[in-house]
Amino acid sequence: MGFDSIEPYLAWKDRGIIILCRTSNPGGSDLQFVESASGEPLYLHVASMVAEKWNTHGQCGLVVGATFPEELSKVRARVGDAMPLLVPGIGAQGGDIEETVTAGRNIAGTGMMINSSRAILYASSDENWKEEAARVARETRDQINQARAG
Ligand SMILES: O=c1ccn([C@@H]2O[C@H](COP(=O)(O)O)[C@@H](O)[C@H]2O)c(=O)[nH]1
């Protein structure tokens, strides 16, 4: 929605905001691949604008879907190592954890909040649902850390 919609939140210097950049759903391409005035796709224009103009106090992060590792890699290259990326799309949406980590990590091997919801919440509909949710959550965490180490 533009800068005026995030500016009020930036007044809290100890808080952050996360802006949609390249969403994980296929239909996101309808908008985010549209060519911007600079000739590049809108999602990269958003990444540049946030990194260069809006992030003056290091309060901004971007949503970039795990289902698009190529774009994730381009966004990381564009915004540098310091900006956190919120990355939905592994688990139920089928994004590959290793590709996601390789594409989106920063130089320190960090810089991403990789989200998985349904794959954990609905790991089981039996009586053991709590244990299964915990098992899948740990398994997901371990797969992410294994990919970071690789
Ligand atoms: O690009 C986006 C932005 C937000 N979401 C949200 O993340 C979770 C993902 O849930 P899963 O069950 O792991 O698919 C969900 O709340 C989405 O609304 C996203 O998926 N993609």
Side-chain angles (χ1 to χ4, degrees):
M1 287 176 70
F3 188 65
D4 60 351
S5 62
I6 66 152
E7 192 179 15
Y9 299 101
L10 296 175
W12 280 271
K13 297 282 186 262
D14 59 340
R15 305 292 165 95
I17 57 163
I18 302 184
I19 298 143
L20 293 176
C21 177
R22 197 330 170 202
T23 58
S24 62
N25 59 313
S29 307
D30 297 344
L31 293 173
Q32 293 144 15
F33 273 3
V34 168
E35 201 175 290
S36 65
S38 63
E40 58 184 7
L42 183 63
Y43 80 92
L44 275 181
H45 179 73
V46 168
S48 293
M49 196 167 55
V50 172
E52 292 162 18
K53 295 186 179 159
W54 299 1
N55 196 34
T56 46
H57 295 95
Q59 291 167 275
C60 297
L62 294 171
V63 172
V64 187
T67 43
F68 296 100
E70 198 180 320
E71 284 79 27
L72 179 56
S73 169
K74 287 182 183 169
V75 170
R76 173 55 75 201
R78 182 64 59 97
V79 303
D81 287 322
M83 189 174 290
L85 304 178
L86 174 58
V87 185
I90 63 161
Q93 296 182 53
D96 183 272
I97 289 179
E98 200 171 330
E99 283 183 51
T100 299
V101 170
T102 303
R105 69 180 162 198
N106 62 17
I107 192 78
T110 60
M112 285 188 287
M113 297 165 278
I114 303 175
N115 170 75
S116 178
S117 299
R118 282 167 293 172
I120 293 169
L121 290 172
Y122 305 124
S124 168
S125 50
D126 294 336
E127 278 182 11
N128 66 347
W129 62 271
K130 288 184 204 164
E131 290 76 18
E132 277 302 286
R135 185 187 63 75
V136 175
R138 287 194 195 98
E139 197 176 271
T140 307
R141 175 200 63 190
D142 292 346
Q143 285 169 355
I144 291 169
N145 284 334
Q146 204 174 350
R148 290 175 62 214

